[in-house]
Amino acid sequence: MIKRITAILLGIGLVLAAALPAAAAIDVYEFETVEQEKVFHELTATLRCPKCQNNNIADSNAELAKDMRQKAYVMLSEGKSKQDVVDYMIARYGNFVTYDPPLMISTIILWLGPVLFILVGFTVLVARSRKAGDVQDKAKLDAEEEQRLKSLMEEMEQQKPSNDGKVK
């Protein structure tokens, strides 16, 4: 009887534990106009969460993303423009919060890195393919070396044991 009660309580506990994520708080923001709401959703979809790396702040559950959403809401409620909010986020968190960082000295490696990588790879491929052609040219024997090779091969053929195990 005690085992049954324990099993039932354990089952109820597991069901309740599984339901906890469903009880998580959902951010609800009330806007004065539909335009503000539209701008808010655009902003949260285009700003990257610094903690989550590749999630936007709309999809992230990190506390930092929640703070960024709240700040965007407050700034939009104060009448700030979309660009004002983006400028604030860049000033606070750096260019990383945008998915399209501007071309600057500090971000030049992000823009030119892939192109340089491809150019270096192509150069290495061309250099190695040319070097392989040179090796094949060097592998050719002149007439004297070929004659010596044939004589050595014939000599080895003569020293090969026959089927009965005796040398020819």
Side-chain angles (χ1 to χ4, degrees):
M1 179 73 171
I2 293 176
K3 286 184 179 181
R4 264 193 189 173
I5 293 173
T6 304
I8 291 171
L9 289 176
L10 184 61
I12 291 171
L14 286 173
V15 168
L16 291 176
L20 281 178
I26 297 173
D27 295 332
V28 177
Y29 299 104
E30 293 183 20
F31 297 95
E32 295 174 10
T33 65
V34 175
E35 182 63 32
Q36 274 185 339
E37 185 175 1
K38 180 182 171 195
V39 170
F40 176 79
H41 289 298
E42 287 174 5
L43 274 171
T44 58
T46 58
L47 292 173
R48 184 185 343 215
C49 176
K51 184 176 181 181
C52 301
Q53 303 289 322
N54 248 356
N55 282 0
N56 57 34
I57 63 174
D59 295 338
S60 175
N61 290 328
E63 286 299 318
L64 183 58
K66 290 178 184 176
D67 292 344
M68 291 173 75
R69 284 192 300 265
Q70 182 63 33
K71 186 63 177 177
Y73 171 73
V74 168
M75 290 180 76
L76 289 173
S77 296
E78 292 173 352
K80 305 278 185 178
S81 70
K82 180 179 178 180
Q83 191 58 45
D84 290 338
V85 175
V86 171
D87 290 343
Y88 172 82
M89 296 295 181
I90 289 173
R92 173 103 185 196
Y93 301 106
N95 285 319
F96 182 78
V97 297
T98 61
Y99 281 103
D100 190 22
L103 183 61
M104 298 176 3
I105 297 296
S106 61
T107 61
I108 196 83
I109 191 72
L110 294 173
W111 292 103
L112 295 181
V115 173
L116 290 174
F117 185 75
I118 290 171
L119 287 175
V120 168
F122 184 73
T123 304
V124 168
L125 279 173
V126 168
R128 291 196 73 190
S129 67
R130 287 186 179 173
K131 194 178 281 188
D134 293 343
V135 171
Q136 288 176 355
D137 290 342
K138 289 179 182 178
K140 293 182 182 174
L141 302 176
D142 62 6
E144 184 181 317
E145 290 173 331
E146 275 189 50
Q147 185 60 37
R148 179 157 162 72
L149 180 63
K150 283 181 185 177
S151 67
L152 287 173
M153 295 287 284
E154 288 173 4
E155 188 179 314
M156 289 194 58
E157 193 66 37
Q158 290 173 357
Q159 290 181 359
K160 220 185 221 183
S162 61
N163 288 342
D164 60 358
K166 295 182 180 177
V167 179
K168 292 183 184 177

